[in-house]
Amino acid sequence: MSKDQLLLRKVGSFFYGGEWQAPLARDLGVGERTMRRWVAGTEKIPRGVWRDLGEHLDGYQRGLAILVSAVKQNSGLVEVHAFKVWDTTAGDQVQPSRKSTAERIARIQGEIIPGTSEWVEPSAIDSEGRLKARALPGPGNKEPKTARELADLIAARIGSDGVFVAVHKDPVHGWHPTVITAPAAAYKCQVMAEQIADELRAKYELSE
């Protein structure tokens, strides 16, 4: 099976489960015969189809982010962000060392840096909406966990029977999860595993 065939199957099963070919063909505006030829590898999948699939995944990711935010808020956690703000002394935008809530960032006319959000307990936030200094994550105060312990934490959070996760060292993030097996929707489980790992890295580091 080619890389394109495998990727098409992963994306299709991610959205529609086992019976994915017909609904995916419908959403892409192509016939089921065309879809079967793509699946069989007898016809090359056009580049425009991959772009359409990318848009579908972008929409899912945006929707998932909204749901995650709502669930986190209902659980009592508070979202903080890294940001930039104008410093009259420096004559330029600077990034403060401590993250803040979106409300405080807006109040001081700062600019949130995308991709830096973090969910913390309310007790980690001071009265001004800033992440307390002692709550900042760092190599010196993270709890060490073995690769197996981290993998078990992620698999438990995914909450689906049959999911097996492996954790390995990563030069950028410190450690990274990979979903090895899953009963269905492996790509979906991998996305969930990476989102869970983003949260856990603030608290745990991979032990030797």
Side-chain angles (χ1 to χ4, degrees):
M1 184 180 296
S2 71
K3 184 189 297 185
D4 282 1
Q5 289 173 277
L6 181 60
L7 182 57
L8 184 66
R9 287 177 181 273
K10 285 183 177 180
V11 174
S13 62
F14 172 78
F15 281 113
Y16 306 107
E19 303 297 325
W20 58 270
Q21 293 188 31
L24 183 59
R26 182 188 64 244
D27 284 355
L28 291 174
V30 300
E32 291 187 38
R33 288 184 179 180
T34 299
M35 179 61 68
R36 287 196 290 270
R37 290 195 293 270
W38 291 345
V39 173
T42 58
E43 184 176 313
K44 184 177 177 60
I45 303 171
R47 191 177 297 272
V49 169
W50 293 117
R51 292 177 180 172
D52 289 343
L53 290 173
E55 291 179 1
H56 278 292
L57 289 169
D58 285 341
Y60 177 89
Q61 191 171 37
R62 289 191 295 270
L64 180 61
I66 292 171
L67 289 175
V68 168
S69 179
V71 169
K72 295 284 189 181
Q73 288 177 355
N74 280 2
S75 74
L77 296 177
V78 179
E79 187 176 22
V80 292
H81 313 262
F83 63 99
K84 292 183 178 180
V85 67
W86 183 261
D87 187 318
T88 54
T89 302
D92 197 2
Q93 283 195 320
V94 298
Q95 181 181 339
S97 60
R98 289 192 279 170
K99 294 181 179 181
S100 291
T101 62
E103 292 77 10
R104 177 176 184 270
I105 294 171
R107 189 168 66 247
I108 63 176
Q109 298 182 327
E111 179 183 345
I112 291 175
I113 300 175
T116 63
S117 67
E118 176 185 352
W119 292 91
V120 299
E121 295 289 346
S123 59
I125 305 298
D126 67 17
S127 59
E128 295 295 322
R130 297 171 297 194
L131 185 63
K132 295 176 182 177
R134 62 180 175 82
L136 282 172
N141 59 21
K142 291 182 182 179
E143 181 182 345
K145 293 277 187 186
T146 65
R148 181 69 267 148
E149 288 174 326
L150 291 169
D152 288 344
L153 282 172
I154 292 170
R157 288 276 295 274
I158 292 175
S160 180
D161 292 338
V163 173
F164 179 78
V165 180
V167 167
H168 52 84
K169 287 185 178 180
D170 183 90
V172 177
H173 301 292
W175 57 271
H176 185 79
T178 299
V179 174
I180 305 299
T181 61
Y187 181 83
K188 184 177 181 180
C189 288
Q190 180 64 39
V191 171
M192 293 175 65
E194 292 179 6
Q195 291 173 337
I196 293 166
D198 285 341
E199 297 177 30
L200 295 181
R201 287 192 195 99
K203 185 175 181 181
Y204 304 115
E205 63 182 354
L206 179 61
S207 63
E208 296 297 331

